[in-house]
Amino acid sequence: RYAPVTLNDSPRYLHRGLMIDTARHYLSVSEILRMIDSLVMNKFNKLHWHLVDAQSFPYDSPTEPTMINGAFVNHNKQLTYTQNDLGAVKEYAHARGVEVIIEVDVPGHAASWYWGKPEIAAC
């Protein structure tokens, strides 16, 4: 039978997101990609990526290569992200309708910068 019903299915909020904090808790690129798939399944459209903080600088910057010395407590360069990693994550997310917002805290959360650039440290 036909029932005169109208369904309106749209998100209440334009920004529906999740934040990950890889400055304190390393996630492999494959884990991040799986997380993006989960976001899509749950109609989320933003991934806020807290990339670096006072605790760690796990980003291998092509313009400041010494900054990676601040990667995690024991300066583990294997637990880092390259420019290609960031590009791959952003491209993967974009193809699925998810915007990646990368956060780099400065100037207040820059203690990890000391290991790569001690000359700019205030201590």
Side-chain angles (χ1 to χ4, degrees):
R1 296 185 163 193
Y2 174 75
V5 176
T6 302
L7 295 177
N8 293 317
D9 184 20
S10 63
R12 178 179 287 178
Y13 303 105
L14 295 178
H15 184 112
R16 301 169 315 280
L18 177 77
M19 185 186 107
I20 57 174
D21 184 355
T22 60
R24 293 180 182 89
H25 309 283
Y26 179 81
L27 296 170
S28 69
V29 171
S30 63
E31 289 173 307
I32 296 171
L33 298 182
R34 278 198 332 262
M35 191 169 298
I36 290 168
D37 289 335
S38 296
L39 291 175
V40 172
M41 285 188 269
N42 290 284
K43 298 184 180 180
F44 282 37
N45 64 352
K46 308 286 185 204
L47 175 64
H48 181 130
W49 187 352
H50 190 107
L51 184 60
V52 304
D53 205 324
Q55 289 74 19
S56 179
F57 197 100
Y59 170 57
D60 191 4
S61 169
T63 58
E64 292 292 341
T66 60
M67 296 300 283
I68 202 166
N69 293 336
F72 294 97
V73 176
N74 51 356
H75 314 294
N76 189 338
K77 292 183 182 178
Q78 293 177 334
L79 303 179
T80 60
Y81 304 99
T82 66
Q83 185 75 22
N84 289 341
D85 293 336
L86 270 60
V89 167
K90 288 187 83 166
E91 187 176 307
Y92 187 87
H94 180 74
R96 287 153 181 78
V98 175
E99 179 184 5
V100 178
I101 304 163
I102 295 177
E103 178 184 351
V104 177
D105 283 348
V106 290
H109 297 207
S112 65
W113 295 29
Y114 170 78
W115 300 104
K117 289 277 192 202
E119 66 273 13
I120 66 171
C123 49

